[in-house]
Each structure stands twice: as structure tokens, then as C-alpha cells.
């Protein structure tokens, strides 16, 4: 994928939903693992002050000396921030709670919404050879999420299979529209992925039906199931693909990666 300045530029995808507990971080790390497993060099940018993506990928707090806080506020080069994970081809730019003060610290910066864009769209980053950069956003529509949307080529939305799930999308779509109008007119929706799906549950089936009626082809065919292996994996600082490679959760994230790759065949930015 290209951003128009370098043919080696990575495809940048912001994974966002202002509602917490929808499987956003879980999707970021496991989709990233599946993309890396398929041979695509992938970076996960942890933009959530909770740092769950960093923890889930095995990066201990003591190893997070240079973080996404430094990337945004100290202009640290991405090369200094990103770290290897245990999975070949998968890297992470970790975060800590330092990032929680970013909104306040950036308020007087004229480029406050473009800092991540400026960090990720440099020629030096393209030279790192990433195929995909996934941004794990915080569970809110704050300045960090706006930075991710300004930096990204597309937006991936995890949607939990529960009552009122679709209603929570309205504010996110409004923010998307504002970002398109003011800072990133080419930002598109990568897709909506149903998470924590239980095919035996009538509510899950109803949410899927409503989502497909409202959003059409934007909804991925792949559904991420409720799966105990997915839930257990982070406590071992592993992706589900490492923790139980034959689980239904692993199969689902591999299928999601394949579907995302297929959707982007022939698409240029």
C-alpha cells in the first residue's frame, strides 16, 4: 500500500470503538498475529494508556523505556519505540499510563491532531518495511483516537454482539465524518467485525441481522466467537494463535486476516 509518497508505505488501520469491552485490543493483537503469520510484517501501535496490547504481546512494564508517549510528545523516532514480539514478523510500539496525560499536554500544540500522522508517514518508517500498522485506540473519542484516525488509511470497528451495540456507533461515525472533513479526507471504513459472537444466542443473531441491514458489506463475514481460549491468552502474555493455535478463536482471527487481505487486493491509497 502507498500513501502517495512512497510505494513501501504500510497500510495503516485504526481499530476503534469508544465503548469499552468490545474486544478492541483483543482484535488488534490477534489480527496482528494472524497477519504476521501469513507473512505480512505487522506493527501494533498501542495508543491506549492502559497498555493492554503491550502486555498481551509480552512486553513487561520494565521493558517499556521508550513508548508511544515519546513518539507523540517527544518526537522519538518509531525505530526507537517499536519492539519485537515472540511472533516472527510482529512488532509493537508499547504504551504506559504516561499516555493518559497526552490530551492535556497537547492542547496547546497547533499540530496536536497530526502528531501520529507525522510520525508514521515518514520515509524512515516506510524503510522499516511494514505491510500493516494497526493502531489500538483507547475506549474513548479523545485526542489520541483522533490522532489515530488522522494517521490511518482506514478504520476497523469491533462491534460486540449485545443489545444497543449499533447505537454506540453513531458518535464514532460522527467523529469519522469530522475527521474526513477537516484532516483526512481519504479515511475510509475498513469494516465492522462482530465480536463475542454466540451463534446459539438469539441476541447475537439479531445484532448480526441488524448490523448487516444497516451497514451492508461493511460488516465482515467473519465473526469472532465467544471463546475461552481468547479470554485466557492475555494472562499468559500471548496471542490466542500462540496460546492455542487450533482453537476456534485462532481460526476466526486467521479468517478475519484473510478476509481483510482479500478486501484490499487492488486497493491503493
Amino acid at each position: 500500500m502507498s500513501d502517495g509518497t512512497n510505494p513501501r508505505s504500510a497500510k495503516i488501520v485504526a481499530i476503534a470503538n469508544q465503548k469499552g469491552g468490545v474486544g478492541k485490543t483483543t482484535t488488534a493483537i490477534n489480527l496482528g498475529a494472524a497477519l504476521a503469520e501469513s507473512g505480512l510484517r505487522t506493527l501494533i501501535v498501542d495508543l491506549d494508556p492502559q497498555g493492554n496490547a503491550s502486555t498481551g504481546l509480552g512486553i513487561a512494564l520494565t521493558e517499556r523505556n521508550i513508548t508511544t508517549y515519546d513518539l507523540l510528545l517527544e518526537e522519538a523516532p518509531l525505530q526507537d519505540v517499536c519492539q519485537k514480539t515472540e511472533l516472527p514478523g510482529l512488532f509493537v510500539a508499547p504504551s504506559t499510563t504516561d499516555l493518559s496525560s497526552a490530551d492535556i499536554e497537547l492542547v496547546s500544540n497547533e499540530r496536536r491532531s497530526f502528531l501520529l500522522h507525522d510520525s508514521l508517514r515518514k520515509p524512515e518508517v516506510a524503510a522499516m518495511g511494514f505491510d500493516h500498522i494497526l493502531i489500538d485506540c483507547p475506549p474513548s473519542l479523545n485526542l489520541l483516537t483522533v490522532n489515530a484516525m488522522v494517521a490511518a488509511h482506514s478504520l476497523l470497528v469491533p462491534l460486540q454482539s449485545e443489545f444497543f451495540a449499533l447505537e454506540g456507533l453513531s458518535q464514532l461515525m460522527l467523529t469519522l465524518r469530522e475527521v474526513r472533513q477537516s484532516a483526512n479526507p481519504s479515511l475510509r471504513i475498513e469494516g465492522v467485525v462482530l465480536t463475542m459472537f454466540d451463534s446459539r444466542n438469539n441476541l447475537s443473531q439479531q445484532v448480526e441481522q441488524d448490523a448487516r441491514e444497516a451497514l451492508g458489506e461493511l460488516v465482515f463475514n467473519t465473526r469472532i466467537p465467544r471463546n475461552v481460549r481468547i479470554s485466557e491468552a492475555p494472562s499468559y502474555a500471548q496471542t490466542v494463535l500462540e496460546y492455542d493455535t487450533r482453537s476456534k478463536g485462532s481460526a476466526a482471527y486467521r479468517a478475519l486476516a484473510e478476509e481483510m487481505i482479500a478486501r484490499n487486493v487492488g486497493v491503493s491509497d
Side-chain angles (χ1 to χ4, degrees), residues 11-90:
K11 172 79 181 186
I12 305 174
V13 181
I15 301 177
N17 189 327
Q18 77 274 18
K19 191 174 185 301
V22 299
K24 177 181 54 60
T25 297
T26 299
T27 294
I29 63 176
N30 291 306
L31 175 59
L35 289 168
E37 186 182 74
S38 67
L40 297 171
R41 187 175 167 91
T42 302
L43 169 67
I44 296 173
V45 176
D46 191 347
L47 214 60
D48 188 341
Q50 297 176 88
N52 290 336
S54 306
T55 302
L57 289 168
I59 309 299
L61 272 173
T62 54
E63 298 171 343
R64 303 178 206 176
N65 298 318
I66 307 177
T67 68
T68 48
Y69 174 90
D70 302 291
L71 185 71
L72 288 177
L73 286 100
E74 305 295 337
E75 298 185 12
L78 184 65
Q79 299 94 310
D80 293 347
V81 179
C82 74
Q83 299 187 32
K84 292 181 179 179
T85 71
E86 293 295 321
L87 276 173
L90 183 63

Side-chain angles (χ1 to χ4, degrees), residues 160-186:
Q160 187 176 358
S161 303
E162 65 168 17
F163 200 57
F164 293 138
L166 284 173
E167 291 189 12
L169 281 182
S170 57
Q171 186 60 45
L172 181 64
M173 294 306 176
L174 180 60
T175 303
L176 171 69
R177 192 177 307 121
E178 291 173 351
V179 169
R180 277 176 171 165
Q181 292 172 348
S182 63
N184 187 1
S186 63

Side-chain angles (χ1 to χ4, degrees), residues 26 29-30 33 52-59 86-87 90 229-245:
T26 299
I29 63 176
N30 291 306
N52 290 336
S54 306
T55 302
L57 289 168
I59 309 299
E86 293 295 321
L87 276 173
L90 183 63
R229 296 307 196 196
I230 293 176
S231 302
E232 290 173 348
S235 64
Y236 293 88
Q238 292 182 329
T239 67
V240 71
L241 278 73
E242 299 166 279
Y243 180 65
D244 188 346
T245 191

